[in-house]
Amino acid sequence: MTNENTNLSDNRLLFEALSRYRFLGVDQVEALLDGRMPDIAALQSEKTIHTLDAPNLSGKRRTVLALARRGAERLALAKGEEVQAFPYVIPSRLKRSLFTIEHTLCINQVGVVLERLQRRLFDFTILDWETVPQRIGTSILIRKPGDHLRVPLVADAFFGVRWGKECPWFLLEVDRGTVSLKRMALKFQGYLNWWKQDGPKARFGVKNLRLLVLCPNERRMLRLQEAVRSCGIRSGRGFVWFALQDIVDSERPESFLKADWRKAARSSRRYSLFRTCPEP
């Protein structure tokens, strides 16, 4: 394959990745393209992508990429079909909320890690990856004496994977420590009631579903675990799993699967997402 054809192929892979994830950091693009990097300056001058300087997961600055209208049109022409999901980003909206972009990058990091695992592990397959709120959101009515409260349950992502004979499904919540513990306790109460009422089966058609909560630090995780226990609902607590965000590492994607997950119980025990996990 000539350099020109390689560049065209990498450009298309970049456009496809941006159409799936909306925003990606340069490091995330490199992870998805196995270290290759398209000519960002050239693509920007062609107005096929937008770039923005934004904070990364640790608060440092980094370049963020988004698909422009012209890039979406090129991708649609190459695929011979309409581009779905996030076709392109309007420049005026890029700077509205750097926090929103940072949060999106945190969510997308999980998707990047899953794609890396799919390439590295035999028989590991991503069955679904969805982040559109309208497609994964639901709500639950919590009844209390003299009061009824509708609690929205809109996770950051819904995904399923198959590895060997195991086929688990997950909801993902990326916690940035900005929502009050009172609000988080109410949300967990909603999730537990939803789980008890067979919400996963009714909403997604699956039973083997867990809620994964990624936390920014140990202190916040302990408080969120306590928030689950404070709901006064014992059954279903094992539905909620916690881990620190640094396990989502595109250089070491297997870390996401390993025994670094904890449940809400007061216990030091840690769990793996699968019964069998790869060696480091």
Side-chain angles (χ1 to χ4, degrees):
M1 183 179 288
T2 66
N3 288 338
E4 182 178 357
N5 288 336
T6 300
N7 291 338
L8 290 174
S9 175
D10 288 347
N11 290 349
R12 175 172 173 174
L13 290 174
L14 172 62
F15 294 162
E16 288 179 339
L18 292 176
S19 74
R20 289 197 302 276
Y21 291 110
R22 193 174 184 87
F23 304 114
L24 286 171
V26 169
D27 57 319
Q28 293 175 324
V29 172
E30 289 179 337
L32 289 172
L33 272 61
D34 294 324
R36 302 187 308 277
M37 197 65 205
D39 189 337
I40 299 302
L43 294 176
Q44 189 176 20
S45 66
E46 295 172 359
K47 298 182 178 180
T48 54
I49 65 170
H50 301 301
T51 63
L52 176 71
D53 186 43
N56 68 3
L57 305 184
S58 62
K60 298 180 181 179
R61 311 298 294 186
R62 70 172 171 185
T63 301
V64 176
L65 310 180
L67 190 63
R69 179 191 290 271
R70 187 171 295 177
E73 291 171 349
R74 286 192 184 180
L75 178 59
L77 182 63
K79 297 177 68 174
E81 59 186 36
E82 183 181 354
V83 175
Q84 299 297 320
F86 308 112
Y88 64 92
V89 172
I90 299 174
S92 62
R93 296 178 182 171
L94 275 175
K95 296 184 179 180
R96 286 187 178 181
S97 175
L98 291 179
F99 177 83
T100 298
I101 293 176
E102 181 186 6
H103 186 69
T104 302
L105 292 174
C106 292
I107 300 165
N108 292 347
Q109 185 72 4
V110 177
V112 171
V113 162
L114 292 176
E115 290 199 35
R116 296 277 286 172
L117 286 169
Q118 186 168 242
R119 297 172 195 172
R120 289 191 180 195
L121 300 180
F122 174 73
D123 208 22
F124 186 97
T125 305
I126 303 170
L127 301 175
D128 197 5
W129 170 263
E130 183 60 75
T131 59
V132 178
Q134 293 83 352
R135 297 176 185 169
I136 61 179
T138 186
S139 64
I140 185 75
L141 184 65
I142 297 179
R143 294 178 173 85
K144 297 182 179 181
D147 189 21
H148 293 73
L149 182 62
R150 176 69 62 179
V151 179
L153 302 175
V154 184
D156 291 318
F158 167 74
F159 65 95
V161 292
R162 177 184 291 114
W163 191 20
K165 296 181 180 180
E166 296 183 61
C167 184
W169 294 84
F170 304 96
L171 288 173
L172 174 69
E173 290 274 2
V174 176
D175 179 76
R176 302 298 290 160
T178 57
V179 179
S180 71
L181 291 173
K182 182 177 180 180
R183 284 183 58 190
M184 290 303 299
L186 179 62
K187 191 169 190 176
F188 287 137
Q189 185 178 5
Y191 270 123
L192 292 176
N193 276 278
W194 177 73
W195 180 86
K196 289 177 61 178
Q197 297 176 24
D198 290 327
K201 180 67 174 178
R203 182 68 179 87
F204 301 110
V206 300
K207 285 189 175 182
N208 186 17
L209 181 73
R210 278 169 276 174
L211 173 64
L212 305 182
V213 183
L214 291 174
C215 309
N217 52 61
E218 185 81 19
R219 182 180 180 184
R220 177 69 172 181
M221 179 165 60
L222 292 174
R223 290 185 171 183
L224 291 179
Q225 289 175 296
E226 177 59 36
V228 173
R229 295 193 295 268
S230 71
C231 295
I233 303 173
R234 296 194 60 84
S235 62
R237 287 183 185 176
F239 163 65
V240 189
W241 288 35
F242 298 88
L244 298 178
Q245 290 176 10
D246 58 13
I247 72 166
V248 189
D249 185 348
S250 57
E251 295 298 318
R252 299 181 298 110
E254 290 87 352
S255 299
F256 187 70
L257 306 176
K258 289 186 175 299
D260 279 325
W261 293 90
R262 288 170 258 185
K263 301 181 184 180
R266 290 187 179 92
S267 170
S268 59
R269 183 178 177 183
R270 303 193 180 195
Y271 301 83
S272 303
L273 287 187
F274 288 81
R275 288 188 292 272
T276 303
C277 277
E279 293 298 323

